[in-house]
């Protein structure tokens, strides 16, 4: 009985919940310059369990230390063949993983790069997503759920 009560109280209070968690996406395309790391602005939230994602600066600041499962997707329109699109996660203003990238194939087409990773965050750390391409000119991201950023705390 005491164990059941402890578990129920922990779940209800959020003590063992996988929050904070959020899902943000782009409501319109964003112009990305050639060969320049550019911060992707995810200005629309699908949900934000604890209000920890800031749409005005496209940052996730958890305020709860722990390990977080993070996924980001960037899709570019009409990406040239044999060129790359990179996805770069940043923590506190510094790149934390080598680029996650995809190369084009024959012909111009929409290109998507997806990255999923686990990162340790302190309460005051923040995460952002950057992208880069070498398409020889400016390119535009797609919009909607084709360009998204999400995270949730992992229960350990």
């Amino acid at each position: 009985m005491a164990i059941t009560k402890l578990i129920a109280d922990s779940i209800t209070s959020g003590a063992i919940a996988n929050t904070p968690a959020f899902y943000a996406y782009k409501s319109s395309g964003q112009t990305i310059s050639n060969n320049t790391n550019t911060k992707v602005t995810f200005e629309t939230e699908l949900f934000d369990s604890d209000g920890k994602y800031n749409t005005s600066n496209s940052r996730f600041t958890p305020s709860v230390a722990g390990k977080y499962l993070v996924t980001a997707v960037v899709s570019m329109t009409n990406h040239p063949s044999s060129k790359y699109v990179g996805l770069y996660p940043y923590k506190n203003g510094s790149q934390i993983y080598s680029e996650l990238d995809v190369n084009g194939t024959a012909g111009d087409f929409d290109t998507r790069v997806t990255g999923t990773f686990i990162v340790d965050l302190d309460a005051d750390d923040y995460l952002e997503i950057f992208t880069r391409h070498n398409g020889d000119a400016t390119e535009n991201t797609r919009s909607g759920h084709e360009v998204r950023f999400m995270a949730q705390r992992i229960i350990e």
Side-chain angles (χ1 to χ4, degrees):
M1 176 93 160
I3 292 174
T4 304
K5 174 83 170 126
L6 174 64
I7 291 171
D9 288 348
S10 296
I11 291 170
T12 327
S13 72
I16 61 170
N18 61 341
T19 57
F22 79 95
Y23 179 117
Y25 63 94
K26 290 206 59 56
S27 58
S28 61
Q30 178 179 344
T31 301
I32 308 295
S33 296
N34 185 50
N35 279 324
T36 304
N37 281 19
T38 304
K39 182 176 170 176
V40 182
T41 55
F42 303 91
E43 66 274 5
T44 305
E45 292 177 332
L46 182 62
F47 73 89
D48 187 354
S49 69
D50 298 83
K52 303 304 178 189
Y53 180 78
N54 186 331
T55 57
S56 67
N57 65 12
S58 297
R59 286 183 179 174
F60 173 58
T61 307
S63 76
V64 177
K67 287 185 176 16
Y68 285 80
L69 177 65
V70 180
T71 298
V73 177
V74 175
S75 298
M76 305 295 278
T77 60
N78 300 316
H79 186 65
S81 62
S82 303
K83 302 291 183 172
Y84 76 86
V85 175
L87 181 127
Y88 306 85
Y90 277 57
K91 175 181 168 182
N92 301 328
S94 298
Q95 185 176 327
I96 56 172
Y97 288 105
S98 299
E99 73 178 306
L100 308 165
D101 68 351
V102 63
N103 288 306
T105 58
D108 293 347
F109 66 107
D110 290 350
T111 300
R112 175 184 302 153
V113 59
T114 301
T116 299
F117 51 94
I118 294 174
V119 61
D120 281 308
L121 296 175
D122 289 332
D124 59 349
D125 287 337
Y126 64 90
L127 288 179
E128 302 166 299
I129 300 298
F130 283 68
T131 191
R132 180 185 183 107
H133 70 84
N134 69 341
D136 298 327
T138 60
E139 292 188 29
N140 294 313
T141 67
R142 300 205 49 170
S143 60
H145 300 278
E146 301 263 347
V147 183
R148 58 190 178 269
F149 178 24
M150 62 192 101
Q152 68 180 28
R153 188 167 62 94
I154 298 170
I155 300 170
E156 294 186 74

